[in-house]
PDB file of all heavy atoms in Angstrom:
ATOM      1  N   SER K   1      73.358 131.294 100.982  1.00 97.00           N
ATOM      2  CA  SER K   1      74.497 131.171 100.063  1.00 97.00           C
ATOM      3  C   SER K   1      74.997 132.575  99.701  1.00 97.00           C
ATOM      4  O   SER K   1      74.353 133.586  99.974  1.00 97.00           O
ATOM      5  CB  SER K   1      74.101 130.438  98.780  1.00 97.00           C
ATOM      6  OG  SER K   1      73.275 131.260  97.963  1.00 97.00           O
ATOM      7  N   PHE K   2      76.171 132.604  99.071  1.00 97.00           N
ATOM      8  CA  PHE K   2      76.786 133.892  98.666  1.00 97.00           C
ATOM      9  C   PHE K   2      76.897 133.972  97.147  1.00 97.00           C
ATOM     10  O   PHE K   2      77.846 134.554  96.618  1.00 97.00           O
ATOM     11  CB  PHE K   2      78.142 134.040  99.326  1.00 97.00           C
ATOM     12  CG  PHE K   2      78.084 134.083 100.826  1.00 97.00           C
ATOM     13  CD1 PHE K   2      78.470 133.003 101.597  1.00 97.00           C
ATOM     14  CD2 PHE K   2      77.609 135.204 101.469  1.00 97.00           C
ATOM     15  CE1 PHE K   2      78.394 133.026 102.971  1.00 97.00           C
ATOM     16  CE2 PHE K   2      77.528 135.251 102.854  1.00 97.00           C
ATOM     17  CZ  PHE K   2      77.918 134.163 103.605  1.00 97.00           C
ATOM     18  N   GLU K   3      75.893 133.392  96.472  1.00 95.00           N
ATOM     19  CA  GLU K   3      75.897 133.411  94.998  1.00 95.00           C
ATOM     20  C   GLU K   3      75.744 134.818  94.456  1.00 95.00           C
ATOM     21  O   GLU K   3      75.975 135.033  93.254  1.00 95.00           O
ATOM     22  CB  GLU K   3      74.771 132.511  94.477  1.00 95.00           C
ATOM     23  CG  GLU K   3      74.965 131.025  94.823  1.00 95.00           C
ATOM     24  CD  GLU K   3      73.821 130.173  94.333  1.00 95.00           C
ATOM     25  OE1 GLU K   3      73.460 130.329  93.154  1.00 95.00           O
ATOM     26  OE2 GLU K   3      73.306 129.340  95.104  1.00 95.00           O
ATOM     27  N   ASP K   4      75.314 135.762  95.277  1.00 95.00           N
ATOM     28  CA  ASP K   4      75.166 137.141  94.829  1.00 95.00           C
ATOM     29  C   ASP K   4      76.444 137.945  94.975  1.00 95.00           C
ATOM     30  O   ASP K   4      76.479 139.145  94.670  1.00 95.00           O
ATOM     31  CB  ASP K   4      74.022 137.829  95.607  1.00 95.00           C
ATOM     32  CG  ASP K   4      74.242 137.797  97.116  1.00 95.00           C
ATOM     33  OD1 ASP K   4      75.072 136.981  97.603  1.00 95.00           O
ATOM     34  OD2 ASP K   4      73.605 138.598  97.827  1.00 95.00           O
ATOM     35  N   SER K   5      77.541 137.264  95.384  1.00 96.00           N
ATOM     36  CA  SER K   5      78.829 137.952  95.556  1.00 96.00           C
ATOM     37  C   SER K   5      79.741 137.573  94.369  1.00 96.00           C
ATOM     38  O   SER K   5      80.244 136.458  94.326  1.00 96.00           O
ATOM     39  CB  SER K   5      79.487 137.579  96.871  1.00 96.00           C
ATOM     40  OG  SER K   5      80.848 137.990  96.898  1.00 96.00           O
ATOM     41  N   PRO K   6      80.006 138.491  93.448  1.00 96.00           N
ATOM     42  CA  PRO K   6      80.886 138.174  92.331  1.00 96.00           C
ATOM     43  C   PRO K   6      82.272 137.753  92.772  1.00 96.00           C
ATOM     44  O   PRO K   6      82.874 136.844  92.182  1.00 96.00           O
ATOM     45  CB  PRO K   6      80.927 139.493  91.529  1.00 96.00           C
ATOM     46  CG  PRO K   6      79.663 140.194  91.864  1.00 96.00           C
ATOM     47  CD  PRO K   6      79.399 139.856  93.305  1.00 96.00           C
ATOM     48  N   PHE K   7      82.814 138.380  93.817  1.00 96.00           N
ATOM     49  CA  PHE K   7      84.151 138.015  94.294  1.00 96.00           C
ATOM     50  C   PHE K   7      84.185 136.587  94.778  1.00 96.00           C
ATOM     51  O   PHE K   7      85.072 135.790  94.424  1.00 96.00           O
ATOM     52  CB  PHE K   7      84.618 138.972  95.379  1.00 96.00           C
ATOM     53  CG  PHE K   7      85.974 138.608  95.936  1.00 96.00           C
ATOM     54  CD1 PHE K   7      87.149 138.940  95.250  1.00 96.00           C
ATOM     55  CD2 PHE K   7      86.094 137.894  97.096  1.00 96.00           C
ATOM     56  CE1 PHE K   7      88.384 138.580  95.737  1.00 96.00           C
ATOM     57  CE2 PHE K   7      87.341 137.538  97.592  1.00 96.00           C
ATOM     58  CZ  PHE K   7      88.481 137.892  96.910  1.00 96.00           C
ATOM     59  N   ILE K   8      83.219 136.215  95.649  1.00 96.00           N
ATOM     60  CA  ILE K   8      83.204 134.866  96.184  1.00 96.00           C
ATOM     61  C   ILE K   8      82.983 133.836  95.073  1.00 96.00           C
ATOM     62  O   ILE K   8      83.609 132.774  95.044  1.00 96.00           O
ATOM     63  CB  ILE K   8      82.130 134.724  97.268  1.00 96.00           C
ATOM     64  CG1 ILE K   8      82.583 135.520  98.510  1.00 96.00           C
ATOM     65  CG2 ILE K   8      81.870 133.274  97.645  1.00 96.00           C
ATOM     66  CD1 ILE K   8      81.564 135.556  99.654  1.00 96.00           C
ATOM     67  N   MET K   9      82.163 134.186  94.099  1.00 97.00           N
ATOM     68  CA  MET K   9      81.932 133.256  92.966  1.00 97.00           C
ATOM     69  C   MET K   9      83.187 133.140  92.098  1.00 97.00           C
ATOM     70  O   MET K   9      83.470 132.041  91.551  1.00 97.00           O
ATOM     71  CB  MET K   9      80.777 133.768  92.107  1.00 97.00           C
ATOM     72  CG  MET K   9      79.405 133.602  92.770  1.00 97.00           C
ATOM     73  SD  MET K   9      78.963 131.874  93.165  1.00 97.00           S
ATOM     74  CE  MET K   9      79.399 131.797  94.921  1.00 97.00           C
ATOM     75  N   GLU K  10      83.973 134.180  91.978  1.00 97.00           N
ATOM     76  CA  GLU K  10      85.227 134.092  91.233  1.00 97.00           C
ATOM     77  C   GLU K  10      86.240 133.180  91.927  1.00 97.00           C
ATOM     78  O   GLU K  10      86.886 132.347  91.327  1.00 97.00           O
ATOM     79  CB  GLU K  10      85.849 135.489  91.047  1.00 97.00           C
ATOM     80  CG  GLU K  10      87.121 135.477  90.220  1.00 97.00           C
ATOM     81  CD  GLU K  10      87.709 136.883  89.990  1.00 97.00           C
ATOM     82  OE1 GLU K  10      86.974 137.862  90.158  1.00 97.00           O
ATOM     83  OE2 GLU K  10      88.868 136.944  89.635  1.00 97.00           O
ATOM     84  N   VAL K  11      86.334 133.322  93.278  1.00 97.00           N
ATOM     85  CA  VAL K  11      87.235 132.438  94.036  1.00 97.00           C
ATOM     86  C   VAL K  11      86.762 130.990  93.901  1.00 97.00           C
ATOM     87  O   VAL K  11      87.569 130.070  93.719  1.00 97.00           O
ATOM     88  CB  VAL K  11      87.298 132.869  95.515  1.00 97.00           C
ATOM     89  CG1 VAL K  11      88.154 131.902  96.303  1.00 97.00           C
ATOM     90  CG2 VAL K  11      87.848 134.301  95.617  1.00 97.00           C
ATOM     91  N   LEU K  12      85.449 130.771  93.996  1.00 97.00           N
ATOM     92  CA  LEU K  12      84.905 129.416  93.867  1.00 97.00           C
ATOM     93  C   LEU K  12      85.232 128.842  92.481  1.00 97.00           C
ATOM     94  O   LEU K  12      85.572 127.630  92.363  1.00 97.00           O
ATOM     95  CB  LEU K  12      83.395 129.436  94.090  1.00 97.00           C
ATOM     96  CG  LEU K  12      82.676 128.104  93.892  1.00 97.00           C
ATOM     97  CD1 LEU K  12      83.217 127.038  94.842  1.00 97.00           C
ATOM     98  CD2 LEU K  12      81.154 128.287  94.096  1.00 97.00           C
ATOM     99  N   THR K  13      85.158 129.628  91.461  1.00 97.00           N
ATOM    100  CA  THR K  13      85.490 129.179  90.097  1.00 97.00           C
ATOM    101  C   THR K  13      86.918 128.667  90.042  1.00 97.00           C
ATOM    102  O   THR K  13      87.197 127.633  89.437  1.00 97.00           O
ATOM    103  CB  THR K  13      85.272 130.298  89.107  1.00 97.00           C
ATOM    104  OG1 THR K  13      83.871 130.707  89.115  1.00 97.00           O
ATOM    105  CG2 THR K  13      85.635 129.876  87.670  1.00 97.00           C
ATOM    106  N   GLU K  14      87.832 129.389  90.668  1.00 97.00           N
ATOM    107  CA  GLU K  14      89.239 128.950  90.694  1.00 97.00           C
ATOM    108  C   GLU K  14      89.392 127.660  91.455  1.00 97.00           C
ATOM    109  O   GLU K  14      90.134 126.759  91.068  1.00 97.00           O
ATOM    110  CB  GLU K  14      90.122 130.047  91.325  1.00 97.00           C
ATOM    111  CG  GLU K  14      91.605 129.679  91.265  1.00 97.00           C
ATOM    112  CD  GLU K  14      92.477 130.803  91.819  1.00 97.00           C
ATOM    113  OE1 GLU K  14      91.953 131.734  92.431  1.00 97.00           O
ATOM    114  OE2 GLU K  14      93.720 130.688  91.685  1.00 97.00           O
ATOM    115  N   LEU K  15      88.657 127.516  92.567  1.00 96.00           N
ATOM    116  CA  LEU K  15      88.733 126.260  93.344  1.00 96.00           C
ATOM    117  C   LEU K  15      88.183 125.085  92.553  1.00 96.00           C
ATOM    118  O   LEU K  15      88.696 123.964  92.688  1.00 96.00           O
ATOM    119  CB  LEU K  15      87.977 126.413  94.657  1.00 96.00           C
ATOM    120  CG  LEU K  15      88.534 127.406  95.682  1.00 96.00           C
ATOM    121  CD1 LEU K  15      87.604 127.480  96.883  1.00 96.00           C
ATOM    122  CD2 LEU K  15      89.933 127.032  96.121  1.00 96.00           C
ATOM    123  N   ARG K  16      87.164 125.288  91.777  1.00 96.00           N
ATOM    124  CA  ARG K  16      86.583 124.192  90.982  1.00 96.00           C
ATOM    125  C   ARG K  16      87.545 123.698  89.898  1.00 96.00           C
ATOM    126  O   ARG K  16      87.531 122.504  89.565  1.00 96.00           O
ATOM    127  CB  ARG K  16      85.290 124.643  90.312  1.00 96.00           C
ATOM    128  CG  ARG K  16      84.083 124.859  91.236  1.00 96.00           C
ATOM    129  CD  ARG K  16      82.842 124.932  90.356  1.00 96.00           C
ATOM    130  NE  ARG K  16      81.656 125.449  91.014  1.00 96.00           N
ATOM    131  CZ  ARG K  16      80.782 124.697  91.673  1.00 96.00           C
ATOM    132  NH1 ARG K  16      81.034 123.397  91.868  1.00 96.00           N
ATOM    133  NH2 ARG K  16      79.685 125.235  92.167  1.00 96.00           N
ATOM    134  N   ASP K  17      88.343 124.608  89.357  1.00 95.00           N
ATOM    135  CA  ASP K  17      89.231 124.254  88.222  1.00 95.00           C
ATOM    136  C   ASP K  17      90.207 123.154  88.601  1.00 95.00           C
ATOM    137  O   ASP K  17      90.981 123.304  89.544  1.00 95.00           O
ATOM    138  CB  ASP K  17      89.984 125.527  87.818  1.00 95.00           C
ATOM    139  CG  ASP K  17      90.748 125.377  86.497  1.00 95.00           C
ATOM    140  OD1 ASP K  17      91.019 124.214  86.071  1.00 95.00           O
ATOM    141  OD2 ASP K  17      91.056 126.393  85.862  1.00 95.00           O
ATOM    142  N   LYS K  18      90.194 122.079  87.868  1.00 94.00           N
ATOM    143  CA  LYS K  18      91.059 120.931  88.162  1.00 94.00           C
ATOM    144  C   LYS K  18      92.535 121.248  88.011  1.00 94.00           C
ATOM    145  O   LYS K  18      93.401 120.534  88.504  1.00 94.00           O
ATOM    146  CB  LYS K  18      90.712 119.709  87.287  1.00 94.00           C
ATOM    147  CG  LYS K  18      91.009 119.897  85.812  1.00 94.00           C
ATOM    148  CD  LYS K  18      90.643 118.654  85.020  1.00 94.00           C
ATOM    149  CE  LYS K  18      91.012 118.784  83.566  1.00 94.00           C
ATOM    150  NZ  LYS K  18      90.673 117.545  82.802  1.00 94.00           N
ATOM    151  N   ASN K  19      92.832 122.349  87.297  1.00 94.00           N
ATOM    152  CA  ASN K  19      94.240 122.739  87.079  1.00 94.00           C
ATOM    153  C   ASN K  19      94.785 123.646  88.188  1.00 94.00           C
ATOM    154  O   ASN K  19      95.952 124.014  88.176  1.00 94.00           O
ATOM    155  CB  ASN K  19      94.384 123.445  85.720  1.00 94.00           C
ATOM    156  CG  ASN K  19      94.069 122.501  84.578  1.00 94.00           C
ATOM    157  OD1 ASN K  19      94.554 121.369  84.533  1.00 94.00           O
ATOM    158  ND2 ASN K  19      93.268 122.986  83.638  1.00 94.00           N
ATOM    159  N   THR K  20      93.939 124.033  89.153  1.00 94.00           N
ATOM    160  CA  THR K  20      94.412 124.856  90.269  1.00 94.00           C
ATOM    161  C   THR K  20      95.276 124.019  91.196  1.00 94.00           C
ATOM    162  O   THR K  20      94.822 122.957  91.652  1.00 94.00           O
ATOM    163  CB  THR K  20      93.202 125.424  91.041  1.00 94.00           C
ATOM    164  OG1 THR K  20      92.451 126.268  90.173  1.00 94.00           O
ATOM    165  CG2 THR K  20      93.660 126.216  92.244  1.00 94.00           C
ATOM    166  N   ASP K  21      96.509 124.457  91.441  1.00 94.00           N
ATOM    167  CA  ASP K  21      97.424 123.656  92.254  1.00 94.00           C
ATOM    168  C   ASP K  21      97.105 123.813  93.752  1.00 94.00           C
ATOM    169  O   ASP K  21      96.287 124.628  94.145  1.00 94.00           O
ATOM    170  CB  ASP K  21      98.886 123.983  91.950  1.00 94.00           C
ATOM    171  CG  ASP K  21      99.267 125.422  92.288  1.00 94.00           C
ATOM    172  OD1 ASP K  21      98.596 126.044  93.124  1.00 94.00           O
ATOM    173  OD2 ASP K  21     100.273 125.900  91.708  1.00 94.00           O
ATOM    174  N   SER K  22      97.825 123.041  94.572  1.00 93.00           N
ATOM    175  CA  SER K  22      97.538 123.017  96.011  1.00 93.00           C
ATOM    176  C   SER K  22      97.733 124.388  96.691  1.00 93.00           C
ATOM    177  O   SER K  22      96.971 124.781  97.568  1.00 93.00           O
ATOM    178  CB  SER K  22      98.411 121.973  96.723  1.00 93.00           C
ATOM    179  OG  SER K  22      98.025 120.692  96.314  1.00 93.00           O
ATOM    180  N   ILE K  23      98.807 125.087  96.286  1.00 94.00           N
ATOM    181  CA  ILE K  23      99.067 126.387  96.886  1.00 94.00           C
ATOM    182  C   ILE K  23      97.929 127.370  96.624  1.00 94.00           C
ATOM    183  O   ILE K  23      97.399 128.016  97.534  1.00 94.00           O
ATOM    184  CB  ILE K  23     100.409 126.957  96.402  1.00 94.00           C
ATOM    185  CG1 ILE K  23     101.570 126.074  96.860  1.00 94.00           C
ATOM    186  CG2 ILE K  23     100.591 128.411  96.878  1.00 94.00           C
ATOM    187  CD1 ILE K  23     102.899 126.459  96.269  1.00 94.00           C
ATOM    188  N   ALA K  24      97.511 127.463  95.355  1.00 95.00           N
ATOM    189  CA  ALA K  24      96.418 128.355  94.999  1.00 95.00           C
ATOM    190  C   ALA K  24      95.116 127.910  95.622  1.00 95.00           C
ATOM    191  O   ALA K  24      94.282 128.737  96.012  1.00 95.00           O
ATOM    192  CB  ALA K  24      96.304 128.413  93.476  1.00 95.00           C
ATOM    193  N   PHE K  25      94.940 126.603  95.739  1.00 95.00           N
ATOM    194  CA  PHE K  25      93.714 126.061  96.362  1.00 95.00           C
ATOM    195  C   PHE K  25      93.624 126.480  97.837  1.00 95.00           C
ATOM    196  O   PHE K  25      92.591 126.955  98.284  1.00 95.00           O
ATOM    197  CB  PHE K  25      93.678 124.573  96.194  1.00 95.00           C
ATOM    198  CG  PHE K  25      92.302 123.942  96.489  1.00 95.00           C
ATOM    199  CD1 PHE K  25      91.395 123.755  95.483  1.00 95.00           C
ATOM    200  CD2 PHE K  25      91.992 123.575  97.792  1.00 95.00           C
ATOM    201  CE1 PHE K  25      90.145 123.214  95.748  1.00 95.00           C
ATOM    202  CE2 PHE K  25      90.745 123.018  98.061  1.00 95.00           C
ATOM    203  CZ  PHE K  25      89.808 122.839  97.035  1.00 95.00           C
ATOM    204  N   ARG K  26      94.723 126.313  98.548  1.00 95.00           N
ATOM    205  CA  ARG K  26      94.758 126.694  99.958  1.00 95.00           C
ATOM    206  C   ARG K  26      94.491 128.179 100.106  1.00 95.00           C
ATOM    207  O   ARG K  26      93.731 128.631 100.973  1.00 95.00           O
ATOM    208  CB  ARG K  26      96.091 126.324 100.596  1.00 95.00           C
ATOM    209  CG  ARG K  26      96.280 124.864 100.877  1.00 95.00           C
ATOM    210  CD  ARG K  26      97.411 124.630 101.849  1.00 95.00           C
ATOM    211  NE  ARG K  26      98.685 125.131 101.388  1.00 95.00           N
ATOM    212  CZ  ARG K  26      99.547 124.467 100.651  1.00 95.00           C
ATOM    213  NH1 ARG K  26      99.280 123.235 100.232  1.00 95.00           N
ATOM    214  NH2 ARG K  26     100.700 125.010 100.302  1.00 95.00           N
ATOM    215  N   LYS K  27      95.132 128.990  99.268  1.00 96.00           N
ATOM    216  CA  LYS K  27      94.933 130.450  99.350  1.00 96.00           C
ATOM    217  C   LYS K  27      93.482 130.809  99.067  1.00 96.00           C
ATOM    218  O   LYS K  27      92.946 131.737  99.658  1.00 96.00           O
ATOM    219  CB  LYS K  27      95.874 131.138  98.344  1.00 96.00           C
ATOM    220  CG  LYS K  27      97.348 131.136  98.790  1.00 96.00           C
ATOM    221  CD  LYS K  27      98.213 131.911  97.779  1.00 96.00           C
ATOM    222  CE  LYS K  27      99.657 131.948  98.256  1.00 96.00           C
ATOM    223  NZ  LYS K  27     100.523 132.704  97.278  1.00 96.00           N
ATOM    224  N   GLY K  28      92.871 130.072  98.123  1.00 96.00           N
ATOM    225  CA  GLY K  28      91.456 130.331  97.833  1.00 96.00           C
ATOM    226  C   GLY K  28      90.553 130.031  99.034  1.00 96.00           C
ATOM    227  O   GLY K  28      89.616 130.795  99.312  1.00 96.00           O
ATOM    228  N   LEU K  29      90.843 128.963  99.750  1.00 96.00           N
ATOM    229  CA  LEU K  29      90.068 128.658 100.939  1.00 96.00           C
ATOM    230  C   LEU K  29      90.247 129.722 102.024  1.00 96.00           C
ATOM    231  O   LEU K  29      89.287 130.085 102.719  1.00 96.00           O
ATOM    232  CB  LEU K  29      90.438 127.284 101.503  1.00 96.00           C
ATOM    233  CG  LEU K  29      90.027 126.068 100.686  1.00 96.00           C
ATOM    234  CD1 LEU K  29      90.508 124.778 101.369  1.00 96.00           C
ATOM    235  CD2 LEU K  29      88.497 126.008 100.536  1.00 96.00           C
ATOM    236  N   VAL K  30      91.470 130.228 102.168  1.00 96.00           N
ATOM    237  CA  VAL K  30      91.725 131.309 103.125  1.00 96.00           C
ATOM    238  C   VAL K  30      90.876 132.535 102.741  1.00 96.00           C
ATOM    239  O   VAL K  30      90.236 133.184 103.601  1.00 96.00           O
ATOM    240  CB  VAL K  30      93.220 131.658 103.210  1.00 96.00           C
ATOM    241  CG1 VAL K  30      93.423 132.867 104.090  1.00 96.00           C
ATOM    242  CG2 VAL K  30      94.021 130.494 103.741  1.00 96.00           C
ATOM    243  N   LYS K  31      90.898 132.891 101.470  1.00 96.00           N
ATOM    244  CA  LYS K  31      90.113 134.043 100.991  1.00 96.00           C
ATOM    245  C   LYS K  31      88.637 133.870 101.321  1.00 96.00           C
ATOM    246  O   LYS K  31      87.972 134.787 101.801  1.00 96.00           O
ATOM    247  CB  LYS K  31      90.259 134.215  99.486  1.00 96.00           C
ATOM    248  CG  LYS K  31      91.586 134.746  99.015  1.00 96.00           C
ATOM    249  CD  LYS K  31      91.583 134.817  97.468  1.00 96.00           C
ATOM    250  CE  LYS K  31      92.958 135.168  96.919  1.00 96.00           C
ATOM    251  NZ  LYS K  31      92.945 135.150  95.426  1.00 96.00           N
ATOM    252  N   LEU K  32      88.111 132.665 101.031  1.00 97.00           N
ATOM    253  CA  LEU K  32      86.689 132.435 101.283  1.00 97.00           C
ATOM    254  C   LEU K  32      86.396 132.536 102.780  1.00 97.00           C
ATOM    255  O   LEU K  32      85.347 133.133 103.178  1.00 97.00           O
ATOM    256  CB  LEU K  32      86.271 131.068 100.754  1.00 97.00           C
ATOM    257  CG  LEU K  32      86.109 130.972  99.239  1.00 97.00           C
ATOM    258  CD1 LEU K  32      85.525 129.602  98.881  1.00 97.00           C
ATOM    259  CD2 LEU K  32      85.204 132.056  98.700  1.00 97.00           C
ATOM    260  N   GLY K  33      87.250 131.972 103.620  1.00 96.00           N
ATOM    261  CA  GLY K  33      87.036 132.087 105.076  1.00 96.00           C
ATOM    262  C   GLY K  33      86.973 133.529 105.510  1.00 96.00           C
ATOM    263  O   GLY K  33      86.118 133.913 106.294  1.00 96.00           O
ATOM    264  N   ARG K  34      87.884 134.314 104.975  1.00 97.00           N
ATOM    265  CA  ARG K  34      87.954 135.733 105.389  1.00 97.00           C
ATOM    266  C   ARG K  34      86.712 136.505 104.916  1.00 97.00           C
ATOM    267  O   ARG K  34      86.053 137.205 105.705  1.00 97.00           O
ATOM    268  CB  ARG K  34      89.213 136.372 104.825  1.00 97.00           C
ATOM    269  CG  ARG K  34      89.461 137.790 105.311  1.00 97.00           C
ATOM    270  CD  ARG K  34      90.844 138.233 104.934  1.00 97.00           C
ATOM    271  NE  ARG K  34      91.221 139.456 105.622  1.00 97.00           N
ATOM    272  CZ  ARG K  34      92.481 139.936 105.681  1.00 97.00           C
ATOM    273  NH1 ARG K  34      93.452 139.267 105.114  1.00 97.00           N
ATOM    274  NH2 ARG K  34      92.725 141.050 106.294  1.00 97.00           N
ATOM    275  N   TYR K  35      86.379 136.384 103.618  1.00 97.00           N
ATOM    276  CA  TYR K  35      85.268 137.196 103.112  1.00 97.00           C
ATOM    277  C   TYR K  35      83.906 136.689 103.564  1.00 97.00           C
ATOM    278  O   TYR K  35      82.982 137.485 103.774  1.00 97.00           O
ATOM    279  CB  TYR K  35      85.387 137.287 101.574  1.00 97.00           C
ATOM    280  CG  TYR K  35      86.460 138.271 101.197  1.00 97.00           C
ATOM    281  CD1 TYR K  35      87.756 137.827 100.948  1.00 97.00           C
ATOM    282  CD2 TYR K  35      86.207 139.634 101.123  1.00 97.00           C
ATOM    283  CE1 TYR K  35      88.783 138.720 100.617  1.00 97.00           C
ATOM    284  CE2 TYR K  35      87.210 140.533 100.799  1.00 97.00           C
ATOM    285  CZ  TYR K  35      88.516 140.060 100.563  1.00 97.00           C
ATOM    286  OH  TYR K  35      89.494 140.953 100.246  1.00 97.00           O
ATOM    287  N   MET K  36      83.780 135.391 103.741  1.00 97.00           N
ATOM    288  CA  MET K  36      82.524 134.859 104.277  1.00 97.00           C
ATOM    289  C   MET K  36      82.385 135.278 105.764  1.00 97.00           C
ATOM    290  O   MET K  36      81.285 135.502 106.263  1.00 97.00           O
ATOM    291  CB  MET K  36      82.437 133.355 104.113  1.00 97.00           C
ATOM    292  CG  MET K  36      82.280 132.951 102.636  1.00 97.00           C
ATOM    293  SD  MET K  36      82.439 131.167 102.336  1.00 97.00           S
ATOM    294  CE  MET K  36      80.917 130.557 102.946  1.00 97.00           C
ATOM    295  N   GLY K  37      83.528 135.376 106.452  1.00 97.00           N
ATOM    296  CA  GLY K  37      83.514 135.881 107.810  1.00 97.00           C
ATOM    297  C   GLY K  37      83.019 137.315 107.875  1.00 97.00           C
ATOM    298  O   GLY K  37      82.222 137.686 108.757  1.00 97.00           O
ATOM    299  N   TYR K  38      83.481 138.151 106.939  1.00 96.00           N
ATOM    300  CA  TYR K  38      82.987 139.538 106.869  1.00 96.00           C
ATOM    301  C   TYR K  38      81.451 139.528 106.700  1.00 96.00           C
ATOM    302  O   TYR K  38      80.743 140.314 107.336  1.00 96.00           O
ATOM    303  CB  TYR K  38      83.610 140.277 105.677  1.00 96.00           C
ATOM    304  CG  TYR K  38      85.078 140.608 105.832  1.00 96.00           C
ATOM    305  CD1 TYR K  38      85.910 140.663 104.708  1.00 96.00           C
ATOM    306  CD2 TYR K  38      85.624 140.916 107.067  1.00 96.00           C
ATOM    307  CE1 TYR K  38      87.258 140.980 104.828  1.00 96.00           C
ATOM    308  CE2 TYR K  38      86.981 141.217 107.195  1.00 96.00           C
ATOM    309  CZ  TYR K  38      87.760 141.250 106.068  1.00 96.00           C
ATOM    310  OH  TYR K  38      89.100 141.591 106.183  1.00 96.00           O
ATOM    311  N   GLU K  39      80.966 138.675 105.833  1.00 96.00           N
ATOM    312  CA  GLU K  39      79.525 138.624 105.553  1.00 96.00           C
ATOM    313  C   GLU K  39      78.769 138.190 106.818  1.00 96.00           C
ATOM    314  O   GLU K  39      77.663 138.652 107.111  1.00 96.00           O
ATOM    315  CB  GLU K  39      79.235 137.666 104.400  1.00 96.00           C
ATOM    316  CG  GLU K  39      79.697 138.170 103.039  1.00 96.00           C
ATOM    317  CD  GLU K  39      78.920 139.372 102.584  1.00 96.00           C
ATOM    318  OE1 GLU K  39      77.684 139.416 102.767  1.00 96.00           O
ATOM    319  OE2 GLU K  39      79.528 140.297 102.032  1.00 96.00           O
ATOM    320  N   LEU K  40      79.359 137.256 107.564  1.00 96.00           N
ATOM    321  CA  LEU K  40      78.699 136.788 108.790  1.00 96.00           C
ATOM    322  C   LEU K  40      78.488 137.895 109.810  1.00 96.00           C
ATOM    323  O   LEU K  40      77.491 137.903 110.576  1.00 96.00           O
ATOM    324  CB  LEU K  40      79.508 135.656 109.442  1.00 96.00           C
ATOM    325  CG  LEU K  40      79.327 134.230 108.955  1.00 96.00           C
ATOM    326  CD1 LEU K  40      80.164 133.275 109.795  1.00 96.00           C
ATOM    327  CD2 LEU K  40      77.860 133.840 109.024  1.00 96.00           C
ATOM    328  N   THR K  41      79.411 138.861 109.840  1.00 96.00           N
ATOM    329  CA  THR K  41      79.256 139.958 110.817  1.00 96.00           C
ATOM    330  C   THR K  41      77.983 140.779 110.560  1.00 96.00           C
ATOM    331  O   THR K  41      77.477 141.406 111.488  1.00 96.00           O
ATOM    332  CB  THR K  41      80.479 140.916 110.804  1.00 96.00           C
ATOM    333  OG1 THR K  41      80.576 141.574 109.537  1.00 96.00           O
ATOM    334  CG2 THR K  41      81.753 140.168 111.089  1.00 96.00           C
TER     335      THR K  41
END
C-alpha cells in the first residue's frame, strides 16, 4: 500500500468525499495512476 505517502493519501481523501464531483474524481484517479506508476518504477 501507499499509506506512507501523504500526497497519495490526500488524493484518496478527496476521492472518498461524497461531495467530490465527477470531473474532480476523474482527475484524482489520473493523479493516482501517475504517482503510483512512479512508485512502481
Side-chain angles (χ1 to χ4, degrees):
S1 73
F2 298 105
E3 296 178 48
D4 57 343
S5 168
F7 177 80
I8 289 176
M9 289 299 98
E10 182 178 343
V11 177
L12 176 59
T13 299
E14 184 178 10
L15 293 177
R16 288 195 194 272
D17 190 338
K18 67 178 183 180
N19 295 314
T20 298
D21 64 22
S22 292
I23 295 172
F25 194 91
R26 287 197 300 272
K27 288 182 177 180
L29 289 179
V30 174
K31 287 179 188 176
L32 285 186
R34 187 169 191 165
Y35 284 93
M36 291 170 75
Y38 289 148
E39 291 292 320
L40 275 183
T41 64

